């Protein structure tokens, strides 16, 4: 069976909605887009396996060739929700305009699979020495469920892995992690005319905010990685909500914050630092403070700059590798093999209205993927 043209594959991916979200009114699952990919890779002679990770959430594993090692090309099939009313194009249709592909997932990152399919369909496999693997995951935008599940009991161990997130075709060898928590203070409401009637949760949160800013400064002072543009971990106090009326003692206040740890910082160690920082406040206000993760923490990731894989892909891309502050599935796949992040499009387009991928990336991306497959599988 003949594979559809590149643009038709892209159109099929973008028009098959696969939003993942912690908000159940948005969350859809990715079964339909996984089925499309499984069919296309099977038509090209790949062995395919669809794994249901949770109800409605699937990973696809595709393989061409035999033997040990080989190259894994990986990406996620889910997208974030979209801003209703802020798009000038249909987010669930591929629109070609201004020398760009517009649509939800064009850059981040369902479109990457169209590039893989285009690269592999023109390869002559007769001299293949090592396998090519494809991994398409679920729920990267929420819990990293697909990547976590795959690496827990991976059915193979490739030599190397490329994750096709939008990096403007610059090899990314390291990024920070992401930890996000909610700190909730449960006070006691009462009439504002007499503070002794209650426990003001906002006032308790004021003490916590002071402690959190001290923790932020401690992280900056104690951790440093010169390879990053922002060389220290960051701690951001993202949002806060509390109280309901000026004439009531606030009974509840909640803070959401995040930390972006450097590679090598232990997530357990980071959690212990938080607990130590909060210890005195918690002792003062026993039973009134709780800390709840907003998602499972994601560690930082790094593949050493002098690793032959990084140097080899720098040669293929004709660009030096870099580091970034956002995070991907790389920390999990790095557990299996040396991993880098490399793909078409700009991260600046990710999670934005009118997300797009510029046509200028099409030919160079197909060329880079083809060269990588030849370099590591032939």
């Amino acid at each position: 069976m003949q594979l559809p043209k590149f643009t038709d594959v892209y159109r099929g991916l973008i028009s098959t909605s696969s939003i993942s979200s912690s908000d159940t009114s948005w969350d859809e699952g990715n079964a339909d887009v996984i089925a499309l990919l499984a069919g296309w890779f099977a038509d090209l002679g790949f062995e395919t396996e669809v794994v249901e990770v949770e109800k409605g959430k699937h990973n696809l594993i595709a393989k061409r060739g035999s033997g040990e090692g080989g190259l894994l090309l990986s990406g996620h099939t889910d997208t974030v929700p979209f801003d209703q009313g802020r798009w000038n194009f249909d987010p669930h249709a591929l629109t070609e305009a201004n020398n760009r592909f517009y649509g939800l997932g064009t850059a981040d990152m369902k479109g990457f699979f169209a590039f893989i399919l285009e690269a592999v369909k023109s390869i002559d496999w007769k001299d293949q020495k090592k396998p090519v693997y494809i991994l398409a995951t679920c729920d990267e935008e929420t819990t990293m469920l697909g990547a976590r599940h795959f690496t827990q009991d991976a059915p193979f161990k490739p030599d190397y892995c490329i994750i096709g997130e939008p990096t403007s075709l610059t090899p990314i060898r390291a990024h920070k992690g992401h930890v996000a928590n909610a700190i909730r203070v449960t006070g006691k409401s009462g009439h504002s005319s007499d503070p002794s009637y209650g426990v003001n949760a906002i006032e308790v949160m004021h003490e916590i905010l002071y402690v959190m800013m001290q923790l932020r400064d401690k992280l900056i002072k104690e951790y440093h990685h010169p390879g990053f543009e922002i060389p220290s971990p960051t701690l951001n106090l993202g949002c806060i909500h509390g109280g309901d009326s000026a004439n009531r003692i606030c009974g509840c206040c909640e803070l959401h914050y995040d930390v972006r740890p450097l590679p090598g910082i232990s997530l357990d160690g980071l959690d212990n630092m938080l607990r130590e920082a909060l210890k005195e406040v918690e002792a003062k206000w026993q039973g009134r403070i709780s800390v709840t993760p907003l998602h499972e923490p994601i560690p930082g990731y790094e593949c050493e700059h002098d690793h032959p894989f990084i140097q080899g892909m720098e040669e293929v891309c004709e660009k030096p590798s870099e580091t970034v502050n956002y995070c991907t599935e790389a920390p999990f796949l790095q557990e299996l093999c040396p991993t880098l992040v490399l793909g078409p499009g700009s991260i600046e387009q990710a999670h934005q209205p009118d997300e797009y991928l510029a046509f200028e990336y099409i030919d160079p991306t197909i060329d880079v993927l083809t060269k990588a497959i030849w370099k590591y599988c032939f």
Side-chain angles (χ1 to χ4, degrees):
M1 183 176 179
Q2 186 176 6
L3 187 73
K5 294 180 180 179
F6 174 77
T7 303
D8 293 330
V9 170
Y10 226 115
R11 182 174 293 108
L13 293 169
I14 303 309
S15 63
T16 307
S17 185
S18 54
I19 292 170
S20 69
S21 174
S22 56
D23 182 341
T24 55
S25 66
W26 275 105
D27 196 58
E28 297 176 330
N30 67 335
D32 291 343
V33 74
I34 286 287
L36 272 180
L37 288 170
W40 286 329
F41 280 109
D43 289 343
L44 287 174
F46 280 72
E47 302 170 30
T48 62
E49 179 187 6
V50 175
V51 179
E52 186 169 29
V53 181
E54 286 184 358
K55 186 177 181 180
K57 311 287 188 175
H58 299 79
N59 284 351
L60 168 69
I61 300 168
K63 175 186 178 183
R64 176 94 193 218
S66 60
E68 300 297 319
L71 178 66
L72 172 62
L73 301 175
S74 182
H76 63 86
T77 59
D78 60 316
T79 71
V80 292
F82 58 92
D83 299 301
Q84 298 273 12
R86 293 185 61 198
W87 280 67
N88 294 304
F89 305 93
D90 183 349
H92 291 318
L94 187 71
T95 301
E96 298 179 55
N98 310 315
N99 290 317
R100 297 168 177 173
F101 285 142
Y102 289 93
L104 185 63
T106 49
D108 184 22
M109 61 160 287
K110 287 192 291 186
F112 180 63
F113 294 102
F115 289 98
I116 298 174
L117 286 157
E118 191 68 14
V120 300
K121 76 180 185 182
S122 60
I123 287 177
D124 182 352
W125 300 97
K126 68 178 183 342
D127 294 323
Q128 185 180 9
K129 293 181 174 59
K130 291 191 173 188
V132 177
Y133 295 99
I134 312 299
L135 173 64
T137 62
C138 60
D139 280 19
E140 186 270 353
E141 298 289 5
T142 50
T143 63
M144 304 273 180
L145 173 66
R148 292 177 192 272
H149 182 274
F150 175 77
T151 53
Q152 281 173 1
D153 189 22
F156 57 87
K157 185 174 175 58
D159 292 322
Y160 308 115
C161 173
I162 296 172
I163 301 175
E165 293 277 5
T167 69
S168 301
L169 284 183
T170 297
I172 300 302
R173 67 179 186 273
H175 65 60
K176 294 181 179 180
H178 193 244
V179 176
N181 291 327
I183 301 179
R184 186 179 183 88
V185 177
T186 303
K188 182 182 177 184
S189 61
H191 199 286
S192 65
S193 62
D194 187 342
S196 67
Y197 286 165
V199 175
N200 193 310
I202 291 177
E203 293 183 11
V204 178
M205 186 61 79
H206 175 72
E207 297 180 35
I208 292 172
L209 289 170
Y210 175 74
V211 166
M212 295 300 288
M213 287 186 284
Q214 286 186 312
L215 177 59
R216 177 196 62 195
D217 295 343
K218 178 181 174 70
L219 289 169
I220 292 171
K221 182 179 179 180
E222 294 189 2
Y223 295 96
H224 185 83
H225 191 310
F228 284 84
E229 182 180 358
I230 301 171
S232 61
T234 56
L235 189 157
N236 179 60
L237 306 174
C239 68
I240 191 166
H241 299 281
D244 53 27
S245 177
N247 62 358
R248 267 169 49 90
I249 296 168
C250 174
C252 184
C253 186
E254 186 165 293
L255 166 72
H256 291 189
Y257 76 94
D258 82 351
V259 177
R260 296 185 181 268
L262 292 165
I265 294 181
S266 159
L267 295 179
D268 287 340
L270 190 62
D271 186 63
N272 289 338
M273 289 178 69
L274 170 68
R275 300 295 175 175
E276 181 65 25
L278 290 174
K279 185 167 66 175
E280 289 187 14
V281 183
E282 288 183 313
K284 180 180 177 181
W285 301 103
Q286 290 187 20
R288 296 195 178 277
I289 299 170
S290 65
V291 181
T292 305
L294 294 171
H295 61 70
E296 288 190 66
I298 302 163
Y301 136 83
E302 183 168 25
C303 189
E304 293 298 329
H305 194 186
D306 60 357
H307 194 283
F309 179 50
I310 301 301
Q311 295 180 345
M313 287 307 299
E314 287 179 332
E315 293 173 5
V316 168
C317 297
E318 299 180 352
K319 285 185 180 181
S321 61
E322 298 180 3
T323 66
V324 292
N325 296 309
Y326 57 82
C327 61
T328 73
E329 295 170 319
F332 307 104
L333 296 174
Q334 175 81 0
E335 294 176 17
L336 296 179
C337 65
T339 297
L340 65 77
V341 186
L342 171 69
S346 169
I347 194 64
E348 294 178 4
Q349 300 309 318
H351 304 187
Q352 299 296 318
D354 294 339
E355 178 184 344
Y356 69 81
L357 182 129
F359 289 175
E360 67 193 59
Y361 288 109
I362 294 176
D363 290 340
T365 302
I366 295 167
D367 182 60
V368 163
L369 289 175
T370 302
K371 288 177 178 177
I373 293 168
W374 273 102
K375 186 176 182 67
Y376 298 112
C377 300
F378 285 80

